[in-house]
Amino acid sequence: MHTLSLKAMSDGLHRKQFSARELTQHFLARIARLDPQLNSLITVTAEQALAQADAADRRLAQGNATTLTGIPLIQKDLFCTEGVRTSCASRMLDRFVAPYDATVVKKLHAEAGMVMLGKANMDEFAMGSSNETSWYGPVKNPWDLERVPGGSSGGSVAAVAAGLAPVATATDTGGSIRQPAALTNLTGIKPTYGRVSRFGMIAFASSLDQGGVVARSAEDAAHVLQAMSGFDPLDSTSAERPVDDLVSGLSQPVKGLRIGLPEEFFGDGMSPGVRIAVDAAIKTLESLGATMVPVTLPSAPLSVPTYYVVAPAEASSNLSRYDGVRFGHRAESVKNLEELYKKSRGEGFGAEVQRRIMIGTYVLSHGYYDAYYLQAQKVRRLISQDFTQAFEQVDLILAPTTTDVAFRFGEKTDDPVAMYLNDIYTIAANLAGIPAMSLPAGFSDGLPVGMQLMGNYFSEARLLSVAHQYQQATAWHTQMPKGFN
């Protein structure tokens, strides 16, 4: 059952070929058998999942089920889930049990009837590009257990790539959906900022964070993104505009579309294997009727330094609430209040989180705010303007998702700058707030390569339709890692 598409699973449920309980039991058994190799889950909610599956079977029997009713799902462990631990993969929140559901959780479970199998491992507070910073240990890539799955949504992608769940939620602050999706042969989409509610999503960098989904195909992703999107009065940054029909839009043809190829994304630094795969994908889209157009995004090379001023600044502010007094881990055996703060935060946060808090505090401090933070915001505006001008010439933009395939554990942990450059192709979309996605484009040395599509604001339907048409013409997305198929 784990090789079926989401639509095929739904058809099987509606035709009574199997029940939601049987489907859930199948995935729970795979989790019990295979996840010890991957460490993709922090919490498995087997008892709750079976109860949700039984509720889904009752909805199916009553005839008021949706396409997603009874479909299993894994939630990234930064979406608050009522009665279930939400740790953000940090010791700081190891014992935090949320008293309410995030809007995304409510939409997918209470409204659509999906079944939550558990909470996915991730980089601590979503800070990382390799999923090596989790308090609960690193996640392994099912394509090669000695390599990283990417981050921060490494648990979500490893679980879906290994067939432990058909889909999973994820979040993207600088590429944390697209980069891990590329490294594990999945389709992952980060919608326009504001399209998916951030209420109940534990914040890293509030002006950049956006929830999305990872799945094995664009069609599967479209079904879930459709259900989780929409205006939320509980989120002041939520976009108050209707959501396109993402599923029926999948049939839109590629023919006639103008696709931009930014010269800044095709220069030095890309590995030959990634270059060959992306060039082949371009030829496939041309054969489907698209026209490739050279474009330029002159401010894009400034994305990484801009991001690593803006994101840590917002992180240092957001994470200040975890002090051991009001929220988070509380240290024991302290002499006074000052020591309580210091020891609680020192014990609760890992090294990468502490590094970013220090950077963020520095760039926001008196005397440096204008020199760093204000300048970064000005550059961010230029990056956004570049995209606006490019979309006056083309319908969407194509680029590689990553410079290379998945790297080995420990390869970049001692060099933060080298680690940060993993997101060199993905960060610009977050700074501009536009939708972007990664989809499988082939393999290099037996490891997956991803292709990235970026669109104008609220053009998720177009991105998904192009990805779907490409996946109708190719079979890369159907490949599963050996030992997990």
Side-chain angles (χ1 to χ4, degrees), residues 231-253:
F231 174 65
D232 180 9
L234 299 175
D235 176 4
S236 62
T237 61
S238 180
E240 192 170 1
R241 57 181 292 163
V243 181
D244 294 332
D245 188 335
L246 303 179
V247 178
S248 63
L250 292 172
S251 59
Q252 294 297 312

Side-chain angles (χ1 to χ4, degrees), residues 248-258 285 288-290 395-396 462 465-466 468-470:
S248 63
L250 292 172
S251 59
Q252 294 297 312
V254 172
K255 188 174 182 179
L257 289 180
R258 292 168 61 84
L285 288 170
L288 295 174
D395 298 297
L396 68 160
R462 173 168 284 164
S465 68
V466 172
H468 178 67
Q469 296 302 319
Y470 174 80

Side-chain angles (χ1 to χ4, degrees), residues 121-184:
N121 203 347
M122 53 183 280
D123 275 314
E124 184 180 7
F125 280 102
M127 298 180 192
S129 301
S130 63
N131 217 134
E132 292 175 284
T133 70
S134 169
W135 166 249
Y136 304 95
V139 177
K140 296 180 180 177
N141 190 326
W143 288 91
D144 183 342
L145 298 178
E146 295 183 354
R147 294 176 187 267
V148 304
S152 65
S153 305
S156 296
V157 297
V160 176
L164 307 188
V167 289
T169 55
T171 61
D172 196 315
T173 304
S176 290
I177 289 176
R178 290 160 287 156
Q179 185 250 16
L183 302 189
T184 54

Side-chain angles (χ1 to χ4, degrees), residues 91 323-325 329-348:
R91 186 185 184 189
D323 56 12
V325 177
H329 168 77
R330 176 173 294 184
E332 298 179 349
S333 304
V334 295
K335 297 173 184 172
N336 51 47
L337 184 61
E338 183 177 352
E339 188 176 327
L340 174 64
Y341 285 135
K342 289 180 177 176
K343 200 170 177 185
S344 296
R345 288 169 69 81
E347 290 177 354

Side-chain angles (χ1 to χ4, degrees), residues 265-276 278 400 402-404 425:
F265 287 66
F266 286 87
D268 296 336
M270 193 191 325
S271 75
V274 170
R275 181 73 195 226
I276 290 169
V278 173
T402 59
T403 56
D404 207 342
Y425 295 147

